[in-house]
Amino acid sequence: MRKVTIILLSCLFSVSFYSFGANTKELLIRLYPLFDGTTLVLDSVYCNGLNHDTTRITQIKFYLSSFKFIHSNKTVFEELNSYHLVDCSDETSQLIKLIIPSELVFDELRFNLGIDSLTQMKGAMGGDLDPTKGMYWTWQSGYINFKLEGNSNKCPTRKHSFQFHLGGYAFHDNALQTVQLMPDPFDNSIMIGFDLFDFLNGIDLAHQNLVMLPGNEAIQLSKAISNLFKMLKQ
Amino acid sequence: MMLFCFILICLVSFRADQTLFSVPPGWPKPSYALKDNPLSVSKINIGRSLFYDNLLSNDNTISCSSCHLSYTAFTHVDHALSHGIQNRIGKRNSPALMNLAWHNSFMWDGAIHHLDMQALAPIQDSSEMDNTIAQVVHKLIQSDYYKKLFQAAYSDGKITGERLLKCIAQFLVTLVSANSKYDKMKRNEVVFTKQEQSGYALFLKNCSACHTEPLFTNGSFQNNGLPMDEDLHDIGRMKITKLYADSLKFKVPTLRNIAFSFPYMHDGRFKHLSDVLKHYTNGIVLSHTLSPILQQTIKLSSNEKVDLTAFLLTLSDTSFLFNPNFAFPEQLKNNSNDLK
């Protein structure tokens, strides 16, 4: 009972400590979707490569979760209820605000691409995790971690479309990926870019253009996507 | 002072939950975490209204109750495969709904892992309601009736996907069937006839391994030896796990209220209980994934089948089937079609 009281008091103390902002600061994480090195504009047609392939991206939505700050391989701070839906058609969602201790010393920022299995097993949730956000599979329980849709002349599909709905958490289908970056701890804003040209150029769109189920393919593609996240120079 | 208030709120919620839902004596602990979705009359009312409201479907023609009628054990009798909007036929027989708080997987193949998320599947399935949860929320926001209900249930009155799913789950949690003749016999309130007693003994010997008391299902997935339907090609649980070991396995359904939940099996292939018993004694198809329990032939004489059927009829719970709290809410009749 004493232990429980101490834990409760510590929780109350930490909550008030961070919420009143006594020794905290705002860290802004800005996400930039890119296509071949330039800012990606949804629905724009890009012409690339020797074959002048045309690509248009119509939708990019994904979850970033469990933001953690690491110092010497130890977690020194982690955001509570850390679930952020990034929708590239909504600029405000591309800006993630974290409240962190102002003197936080860290050498690594770590976050997940997707929703962890423990959260997946919970019931209905709100905010960015509300199923109305269009990121929850309905034929089978589970969040879609990453959604990418568009068209490419390489796809022999109807309207040359490609659709990647990557997710899965159960059995051998866990597609959750961890991204590790090394930002400057003194910066108050971090710019992270992800170049989808690298992803689309790295797969054979003629044969791999529709992934809507959890499984090995979703895991491999999720790994490729997680490798796209890179620090951008200020 | 704050601690006192907290304890008081907890006690009040606990008491409210106990009144709205209680675990029948001798039953296991429910799987559904009520602490994450504490029951309240106002939220159950929303869930009940939504369950019976055609507004959930794309063209406002069908509701959950279209395939889950309260008087027939919350399933769709006379339909092997249930139909959705515009006469679209689904792929499976709608399951009977009861005692869902004790389940941790839903649908015949266990595709859904949490009661909160179950309603999403029929709402968005193109063969069922062919809608989106976002569209349903939009419709509810336009409805004065639901605005009032949500204001009564939530201090900010906000209507969200999370809340509507949790309200439906609350109504489903209250659907407890535990007052059949079998239950009364267990509580020493009645005695079985000689025939029912003989049927109970046959049940314990031949069926209870999967249709385990008191829920009359152990919640597992089993291949019960049905030949695959040539048109449906339904591989069951394997669709979800992608494991060959799960081929042709389906969730063991409850036997409670079985007299009311015909037709039987995942594809509704059997119209009568006698067909079901005939399958288990004479129709088992051997395969690699056949339930080990069915590897040995079940032998039942004609008289034993009659006795077993007499026992199965003791699982009918009329106080559940005709519970006015589970039926179509009159308030919905007066307030439906108020969409602006």
Side-chain angles (χ1 to χ4, degrees):
Chain A
M1 187 61 202
R2 206 175 148 192
K3 258 187 181 174
V4 174
T5 318
I6 291 169
I7 292 168
L8 273 173
L9 284 173
S10 329
C11 289
L12 277 172
F13 178 74
S14 6
V15 167
S16 47
F17 178 78
Y18 289 119
S19 30
F20 294 114
N23 287 307
T24 59
K25 68 173 182 181
E26 198 172 68
L27 177 69
L28 301 178
I29 297 177
R30 216 176 274 275
L31 290 139
Y32 291 92
L34 305 169
F35 197 87
D36 205 10
T38 59
T39 303
L40 184 145
V41 179
L42 287 182
D43 298 318
S44 291
V45 178
Y46 293 93
C47 199
N48 290 83
L50 292 172
N51 300 326
H52 299 289
D53 293 318
T54 55
T55 310
R56 181 171 60 176
I57 292 176
T58 53
Q59 183 169 208
I60 312 166
K61 272 169 102 171
F62 56 90
Y63 280 110
L64 296 184
S65 66
S66 303
F67 276 85
K68 282 179 186 170
F69 293 83
I70 314 290
H71 182 62
S72 302
N73 275 326
K74 280 184 186 160
T75 302
V76 287
F77 181 77
E78 58 188 299
E79 190 192 30
L80 294 173
N81 295 317
S82 186
Y83 307 105
H84 303 273
L85 176 61
V86 180
D87 178 350
C88 291
S89 68
D90 171 15
E91 224 172 275
T92 54
S93 75
Q94 291 166 240
L95 183 67
I96 296 171
K97 291 177 188 170
L98 302 180
I99 306 295
I100 64 167
S102 51
E103 302 303 324
L104 189 67
V105 177
F106 61 94
D107 47 35
E108 187 189 315
L109 170 66
R110 210 176 276 182
F111 56 85
N112 288 337
L113 173 64
I115 302 297
D116 64 278
S117 57
L118 211 63
T119 308
Q120 296 260 20
M121 288 304 291
K122 290 180 183 167
M125 285 175 280
D128 277 359
L129 295 175
D130 195 301
T132 52
K133 303 286 178 187
M135 292 293 279
Y136 199 90
W137 270 312
T138 54
W139 61 277
Q140 177 186 10
S141 292
Y143 284 94
I144 299 167
N145 292 334
F146 185 93
K147 203 183 247 192
L148 174 68
E149 293 179 5
N151 317 82
S152 163
N153 65 311
K154 289 185 192 172
C155 301
T157 51
R158 185 172 172 264
K159 295 183 180 176
H160 302 288
S161 66
F162 57 80
Q163 273 182 301
F164 298 104
H165 292 185
L166 310 178
Y169 70 94
F171 313 109
H172 304 293
D173 293 339
N174 196 347
L176 187 77
Q177 303 296 323
T178 301
V179 178
Q180 293 169 264
L181 297 172
M182 287 172 195
D184 185 335
F186 298 106
D187 285 341
N188 288 329
S189 73
I190 295 172
M191 292 160 63
I192 300 172
F194 54 101
D195 198 324
L196 288 160
F197 173 75
D198 294 344
F199 171 72
L200 294 172
N201 207 34
I203 58 174
D204 181 6
L205 271 175
H207 297 102
Q208 195 170 34
N209 42 52
L210 188 71
V211 179
M212 315 279 272
L213 304 171
N216 201 33
E217 210 175 0
I219 294 170
Q220 295 311 318
L221 294 176
S222 299
K223 273 184 192 161
I225 297 278
S226 71
N227 290 331
L228 300 179
F229 290 89
K230 301 210 164 64
M231 296 293 307
L232 296 179
K233 284 178 187 164
Q234 297 279 357
Chain B
M1 184 62 190
M2 272 181 74
L3 190 67
F4 174 73
C5 290
F6 177 72
I7 293 168
L8 195 71
I9 290 165
C10 287
L11 281 174
V12 169
S13 331
F14 178 69
R15 282 185 69 91
D17 274 5
Q18 274 214 320
T19 323
L20 301 168
F21 172 84
S22 57
V23 179
W27 283 38
K29 194 181 161 212
S31 306
Y32 191 80
L34 287 167
K35 65 175 174 47
D36 295 337
N37 189 15
L39 300 183
S40 77
V41 173
S42 52
K43 288 172 190 163
I44 293 168
N45 274 343
I46 296 176
R48 185 176 162 199
S49 272
L50 289 168
F51 188 87
Y52 283 95
D53 203 327
N54 292 343
L55 163 153
L56 261 60
S57 60
N58 189 329
D59 58 1
N60 302 315
T61 55
I62 68 159
S63 68
C64 305
S65 71
S66 303
C67 297
H68 299 282
L69 289 81
S70 60
Y71 307 127
T72 55
F74 285 96
T75 187
H76 205 179
V77 293
D78 276 340
H79 288 271
L81 306 173
S82 296
H83 57 82
I85 65 166
Q86 296 166 3
N87 296 318
R88 295 176 197 167
I89 302 289
K91 289 175 187 147
R92 288 184 181 141
N93 180 18
S94 66
L97 308 181
M98 70 199 77
N99 305 330
L100 297 172
W102 284 268
H103 290 249
N104 50 28
S105 69
F106 305 88
M107 310 291 257
W108 284 101
D109 56 12
I112 310 300
H113 67 31
H114 197 290
L115 187 56
D116 287 358
M117 314 316 280
Q118 171 56 43
L120 275 176
I123 287 172
Q124 303 212 181
D125 189 309
S126 59
S127 302
E128 297 186 53
M129 294 176 173
D130 196 17
N131 209 348
T132 66
I133 184 84
Q135 178 60 22
V136 174
V137 169
H138 178 73
K139 284 188 193 176
L140 296 182
I141 290 169
Q142 307 297 309
S143 157
D144 289 336
Y145 171 61
Y146 281 104
K147 263 194 241 171
K148 277 181 205 152
L149 288 186
F150 275 83
Q151 272 158 7
Y154 298 93
S155 54
D156 63 5
K158 231 174 143 183
I159 301 174
T160 68
E162 177 196 14
R163 287 177 177 180
L164 92 85
L165 290 174
K166 282 190 161 165
C167 286
I168 293 175
Q170 289 213 5
F171 174 62
L172 296 177
V173 161
T174 64
L175 304 181
V176 177
S177 176
N179 201 30
S180 61
K181 184 174 184 184
Y182 158 83
D183 297 298
K184 289 173 186 165
M185 180 276 289
K186 283 283 177 185
R187 297 196 298 258
N188 296 317
E189 292 166 16
V190 295
V191 285
F192 272 175
T193 64
K194 205 176 163 190
Q195 191 178 43
E196 289 163 347
Q197 192 59 48
S198 160
Y200 184 30
L202 289 165
F203 161 80
L204 290 173
K205 185 184 169 199
N206 296 295
C207 322
S208 69
C210 292
H211 296 286
T212 317
E213 299 164 85
L215 297 167
F216 288 87
T217 168
N218 61 5
S220 68
F221 299 89
Q222 301 289 337
N223 172 354
N224 66 343
L226 293 169
M228 187 191 256
D229 183 296
E230 291 296 322
D231 297 318
L232 296 171
H233 287 285
D234 193 343
I235 54 172
R237 180 72 174 153
M238 186 181 167
K239 185 187 170 199
I240 304 304
T241 64
K242 296 191 278 295
L243 299 171
Y244 179 65
D246 286 331
S247 171
L248 303 176
K249 288 186 179 175
F250 295 90
K251 192 171 173 188
V252 175
T254 181
L255 300 184
R256 284 184 173 273
N257 297 300
I258 194 166
F260 291 81
S261 62
F262 56 90
Y264 307 106
M265 306 295 160
H266 64 276
D267 51 11
R269 68 178 69 188
F270 299 136
K271 280 186 181 172
H272 308 288
L273 275 176
S274 55
D275 300 331
V276 175
L277 296 185
K278 192 176 166 194
H279 162 71
Y280 282 113
T281 53
N282 301 85
I284 298 288
V285 173
L286 297 174
S287 69
H288 287 96
T289 58
L290 179 67
S291 173
I293 292 150
L294 296 173
Q295 304 278 351
Q296 280 196 324
T297 311
I298 293 175
K299 288 177 185 161
L300 293 170
S301 68
S302 304
N303 284 343
E304 285 174 329
K305 283 182 181 174
V306 173
D307 291 356
L308 185 53
T309 306
F311 166 70
L312 292 174
L313 297 183
T314 70
L315 300 176
S316 298
D317 176 359
T318 49
S319 65
F320 168 75
L321 298 165
F322 304 106
N323 186 334
N325 293 328
F326 302 155
F328 183 91
E330 284 305 310
Q331 51 177 5
L332 181 62
K333 197 186 284 175
N334 303 328
N335 290 282
S336 57
N337 303 319
D338 74 336
L339 297 179
K340 287 170 188 166

